[in-house]
Amino acid sequence: MKTELMPVTAASIALGASLMAEGKLVAFPTETVYGLGADALNGRAVLKIFEAKGRPADNPLIAHISDKSELAPLVARVDERAQKLMDAFWPGPLTMVFPKSELIPDAVSAGLSTVAVRMPSHPAARMLIRALGRPIAAPSANRSGKPSPTTAAHVFEDMEGRIPLILDGGPCGVGVESTVLDLAGDVPTLLRPGGITAEMLREYLPDLAIHPAVLHPLQSSAEARSPGMKYKHYAPNASIVIVRGTPEQIAARYDASVAAGKKTAILCADRAPYGDRFAYELGHDAGEMASRLFAALRAMDDDGIEAAFSEQTPTDGVGLALTNRLLRAAGFQVEEG
Ligand code: AMP
Ligand code: MG
């Protein structure tokens, strides 16, 4: 299959919608990461997403809508908490998990009784949903196990030959996947941190719980409230160690690794303390760091890096999402300097 890469225009959106209406897959930009979309109400089309990504069949997808009024038919009920959160944070990077309605094919919810729904703020995503006239089921447009794509070029790397069309809307602003909030049970639970932070949610949900898997390895798969938690994520070929220490200690780790013959890199806020050592600079503010992390992880593979040492990252605000993704990329290897 030939994969077309087209800038977002009225014509490419119309083409994307017509391909999706025929049951085909289209990758498109959102404010978080690029999504790999299919008509969410067409179970056969949705199954193609799992095939193209190499995604385990028990890892459900997010249904994307273009207007709040499109939520009700997809879910069994919308309670007062959800209503308030929608008013506060939609459109935007907040996914909410609801008991699902019968409209949702099993392929979308991977057999669960719940469905995850989000209304993105990216205009191209909303135009595509409107043009299709149905919700779009979309996970991130990477091959399973690779970092989520934050540019159309990343999508092309992973999906060339597997899908007919990639809509290029430039780099994604948030750069990490949406916040996932489970509202299907009594205690609202943050399953995945993202651009809508725990602090922002707490204003509306004083009893918000944070699932332990956000910052710790799962002890057993029975603990997984979100099937995606079970799977290895964002892992580059390099072994990454997060070092709780000073730049001098990180530089010493780097030097020892280079002396052992390994192609080595540093992940840091600012390269200045590391001289001419090979470093990926993420920036000083957690939002900026989160938006650059996945591109840096992909660059590590392109650069043939075998070992990397990362500075510790903050865990407040968007820092929680950054640290959650970095810990997964590092396989939870955190060591004292
Ligand atoms: P992705 O968009 O690739 O990040 O994948 C969607 C994420 O949403 C995965 O981590 C899923 O596990 C999570 N998700 C989707 N549907 C549900 C659901 N019904 N309950 C809990 N988590 C979900
Ligand atoms: Mg994903």
Side-chain angles (χ1 to χ4, degrees), residues 53 55 139-142 148 177 192 233-234:
K53 279 182 63 87
R55 184 175 177 101
S140 50
N142 52 293
S148 293
E177 308 86 342
R192 176 172 80 184
H233 258 105
Y234 324 116

Side-chain angles (χ1 to χ4, degrees), residues 306-336:
E306 297 163 288
F309 299 94
S310 175
E311 294 179 347
Q312 263 202 299
T313 47
T315 52
D316 58 332
V318 184
L320 188 63
L322 168 69
T323 300
N324 167 271
R325 306 311 191 274
L326 180 62
L327 279 167
R328 277 162 180 74
F332 293 92
Q333 295 190 87
V334 184
E335 295 176 10
E336 300 302 321

Side-chain angles (χ1 to χ4, degrees), residues 72-249:
L74 308 181
V75 302
R77 58 175 182 277
V78 180
D79 63 21
E80 208 179 308
R81 300 174 303 184
Q83 194 62 54
K84 282 191 185 146
L85 293 163
M86 275 163 64
D87 291 341
F89 301 116
W90 280 6
L94 175 66
T95 297
M96 291 190 265
V97 176
F98 299 90
K100 72 170 193 166
S101 80
E102 278 167 17
L103 265 187
I104 299 290
D106 277 346
V108 173
S109 53
L112 298 176
S113 59
T114 52
V115 63
V117 186
R118 169 166 113 82
M119 176 179 169
S121 65
H122 197 294
R126 297 247 296 284
M127 276 159 56
L128 187 65
I129 301 163
R130 261 201 306 277
L132 178 64
R134 294 151 82 93
I136 293 181
S140 50
N142 52 293
R143 291 275 298 163
S144 223
K146 295 258 275 169
S148 293
T150 54
T151 66
H154 295 161
V155 180
F156 195 77
E157 255 170 49
D158 283 14
M159 291 296 154
E160 189 192 359
R162 296 174 180 273
I163 62 173
L165 179 63
I166 300 168
L167 297 173
D168 185 351
C172 301
V174 180
V176 288
E177 308 86 342
S178 60
T179 303
V180 178
L181 173 68
D182 189 347
L183 286 178
D186 288 338
V187 180
T189 305
L190 182 71
L191 300 181
R192 176 172 80 184
I196 303 299
T197 65
E199 291 86 345
M200 289 158 83
L201 293 173
R202 278 220 173 86
E203 286 200 23
Y204 300 85
L205 301 169
D207 57 341
L208 178 72
I210 297 188
H211 196 283
V214 167
L215 288 177
H216 303 282
L218 274 178
Q219 298 306 312
S220 72
S221 61
E223 261 189 303
R225 278 274 282 283
S226 178
M229 289 172 167
K230 286 188 306 208
Y231 296 106
K232 196 170 167 174
H233 258 105
Y234 324 116
N237 299 324
S239 148
I240 302 179
V241 176
I242 301 167
V243 180
R244 265 204 280 249
T246 61
E248 292 71 29
Q249 290 169 319

